[in-house]
Amino acid sequence: MSSLITEDEISHEAQLVWLEDIESLDYVRQSLDRLPHRKGRPAYHRDGRMVGYAILGHTAKPSRSSGTFRRRVFWLLPHDRDSQPDGLYAKSAPAEAVDPRTLEARVKGYKTERSEGGPPSSAMRQLGITLPL
């Protein structure tokens, strides 16, 4: 879950790779997965779809016990807001969700009014930014 991801755990990230245009997504779910390699597209074993992942730099060391690397994976489930705007997360977001615009390599990201489903702030209204309400 995003609140459990520490800066230390993502300190070896070199870049984030997005498989979709994140500008159209209010939030993405993020998790730290144990993966066999530092880079490359990881296998995806959840319902829904993977929308991005982290690539680790050469300084990242594998776990002594498993030989795997902990890498962030970003994903969405079939009942998330992008697929069901009036569904379960119409005016909220899952615990592990963050606004993808707040994410960078080595940056945890955070929830925003947009990711939580509104209401839009006065600054957003002044800029003409609207949320799915």
Side-chain angles (χ1 to χ4, degrees):
M1 300 205 176
S2 61
S3 61
L4 300 178
I5 294 175
T6 67
E7 297 291 335
D8 186 53
E9 291 173 310
I10 60 176
S11 65
H12 294 284
E13 289 180 343
Q15 74 180 85
L16 300 183
V17 175
W18 295 108
L19 304 173
E20 295 185 21
D21 178 11
I22 60 170
E23 291 301 315
S24 65
L25 299 173
D26 293 339
Y27 64 80
V28 295
R29 295 170 185 254
Q30 72 174 339
S31 59
L32 275 172
D33 291 359
R34 292 204 171 274
L35 300 169
H37 305 287
R38 286 183 186 95
K39 52 187 169 180
R41 184 177 178 157
Y44 184 72
H45 303 289
R46 295 177 177 91
D47 287 341
R49 67 191 194 276
M50 179 172 46
V51 296
Y53 56 90
I55 292 178
L56 302 180
H58 68 280
T59 59
K61 303 287 185 234
S63 164
R64 287 183 184 166
S65 59
S66 67
T68 58
F69 297 89
R70 288 182 55 116
R71 290 172 52 194
R72 279 195 295 178
V73 175
F74 306 100
W75 44 285
L76 290 166
L77 293 176
H79 61 273
D80 281 324
R81 191 182 312 145
D82 70 303
S83 297
Q84 294 185 10
D86 297 323
L88 177 63
Y89 295 111
K91 295 185 189 294
S92 65
E96 67 273 16
V98 293
D99 186 329
R101 289 158 215 75
T102 67
L103 291 165
E104 294 178 29
R106 298 176 301 282
V107 176
K108 292 190 318 182
Y110 53 89
K111 290 184 178 180
T112 62
E113 282 184 305
R114 179 183 176 123
S115 66
E116 289 287 1
S121 66
S122 59
M124 291 176 70
R125 287 192 300 272
Q126 287 174 351
L127 293 171
I129 299 170
T130 58
L131 300 172
L133 297 174

